[in-house]
Amino acid sequence: MDVAQREIGAEFSGIGALLPDWVPTRGRSRIRRAAAVIDAEVARVVAEHRQGDGERPDLLSRLLAARDETGARLSDEEIRDETVTLYIGGHETTSSTLVWAWYLLARSPGVREALAGELDRVLGDREPGFDDYAQLTYAQAVVKETLRLYPTIWLLTGVAKEGARIGGLPLPPGTRVWSSQWATHRDARWFPEPEEFRPERWGPDGGDGIPEYAWFPFGGGPRACLGARFAMVETVLVLAVLARRFDLDVDPGEIRPVPALTLQPDREVLATVRAR
Ligand code: HEM
């Protein structure tokens, strides 16, 4: 995964972005080798699941049991592809978002205090659960603001169809188009003082004044993130579980983002954990 992450990121930001897909490069052969390792591991897990008795209460079992309208099952290759997509889409993204959230919180004592205040008010001495999500509006704003400054998916790419226009100008079909969350989310037209970590900008109305697509960490359109709602709930609740009980003092040095497949910290992020 580390190799695939790094090399795919290099494809996005380096020479690979300009070369047609068929040109062989070292990076591309490293991606192929890493993909073979991931595929083999996933195939092993799938085979293990198939042998188990009865359906387990997990997503892979659901995929294995699924039938389409003609009664056909997913092929092994489809199961593998869905599983890899969910693993990458569902794991790296939320875990990196939490790392960036703690980094930002550690540097913003005022935000940390406001978050702790909300957790005390809403939860008292209970653990948070799904039903608390709607009340945890400040925690939601912390996660949204983290995804604004450190969008774990920082770049989207697509291929223009017939009739596509950008900024009013026609695009020849087949043109590759890149749009960057990183750049758009730091545009002062939509986010005054864009470098500031300020959950308050999402306000009690949840940032209704911010135009659609000024903030798009989950992409958009028909291929938008399938797990967007799940990811928000998961990230907010994990943050609430931890922040209710602990303070994480992340070491104060600057952490620079590395544009791999997801936005990664440039070094190990160490923190001192203190009970609150
Ligand atoms: C903070 C967490 C997450 C972020 C920032 C994120 C972001 C994204 C983005 C930007 C896309 C591509 C959208 C596009 O091409 O327009 C995407 C696709 C996808 N995501 Fe997420 N995601 C997150 C969490 C999750 C979780 C938790 C799951 C599953 C449980 C998930 C499942 C998927 C899937 C299946 C797709 C592919 C959708 C398709 O191609 O039709 N994601 N995600």
Side-chain angles (χ1 to χ4, degrees):
M1 278 301 300
D2 283 346
V3 173
Q5 274 259 23
R6 205 174 45 240
E7 296 296 343
I8 293 173
E11 271 282 300
F12 282 173
S13 44
I15 188 85
L18 302 172
L19 293 174
D21 290 344
W22 53 264
V23 177
T25 63
R26 276 217 195 126
R28 287 174 180 178
S29 65
R30 279 195 287 262
I31 292 173
R32 260 199 311 279
R33 281 201 300 275
V37 173
I38 296 168
D39 284 353
E41 179 57 15
V42 170
R44 190 188 63 76
V45 175
V46 172
E48 205 178 275
H49 252 68
R50 279 199 202 281
Q51 274 164 14
D53 30 323
E55 197 178 317
R56 301 191 211 177
D58 59 30
L59 191 59
L60 180 52
S61 300
R62 293 272 183 103
L63 284 173
L64 290 170
R67 302 267 193 288
D68 69 14
E69 56 281 5
T70 67
R73 289 171 183 262
L74 292 171
S75 69
D76 278 0
E77 210 175 49
E78 286 167 332
I79 301 260
R80 182 203 65 195
D81 289 352
E82 292 297 330
T83 308
V84 172
T85 302
L86 283 165
Y87 181 74
I88 297 176
H91 176 80
E92 285 294 323
T93 47
T94 29
S95 56
S96 304
T97 302
L98 281 160
V99 171
W100 291 117
W102 280 109
Y103 170 61
L104 289 165
L105 284 169
R107 296 162 78 90
S108 318
V111 175
R112 209 152 85 171
E113 215 170 285
L115 175 64
E118 176 177 88
L119 297 178
D120 290 345
R121 205 168 51 250
V122 175
L123 302 170
D125 52 10
R126 308 182 278 110
E127 289 289 351
F130 178 71
D131 292 339
D132 298 308
Y133 177 78
Q135 273 80 58
L136 296 173
T137 52
Y138 194 77
Q140 288 179 37
V142 167
V143 172
K144 284 186 176 171
E145 184 68 345
T146 302
L147 283 166
R148 181 182 73 78
L149 281 169
Y150 293 98
T152 41
I153 306 285
W154 53 278
L155 187 73
L156 285 179
T157 171
V159 177
K161 284 186 175 173
E162 192 70 49
R165 303 175 78 80
I166 195 164
L169 299 172
L171 283 180
T175 307
R176 186 165 279 190
V177 181
W178 307 83
S179 48
S180 167
Q181 288 91 335
W182 174 273
T184 312
H185 290 182
R186 285 168 188 255
D187 187 324
R189 283 176 294 174
W190 328 120
F191 303 103
E193 296 179 81
E195 302 295 325
E196 297 289 310
F197 177 55
R198 202 183 289 156
E200 286 71 18
R201 66 174 94 236
W202 294 98
D205 60 357
D208 282 352
I210 297 170
E212 199 185 0
Y213 292 124
W215 183 80
F216 62 117
F218 298 109
R223 302 310 296 260
C225 177
L226 279 184
R229 287 280 301 162
F230 179 85
M232 278 301 296
V233 172
E234 181 186 22
T235 309
V236 165
L237 291 185
V238 172
L239 186 68
V241 167
L242 292 174
R244 193 177 74 77
R245 291 208 238 147
F246 306 110
D247 269 329
L248 266 65
D249 294 325
V250 177
D251 80 55
E254 192 188 350
I255 297 173
R256 298 178 64 82
V258 178
L261 175 60
T262 56
L263 208 61
Q264 294 290 310
D266 66 344
R267 59 184 168 82
E268 208 173 24
V269 180
L270 297 173
T272 308
V273 181
R274 281 185 294 114
R276 260 188 73 210

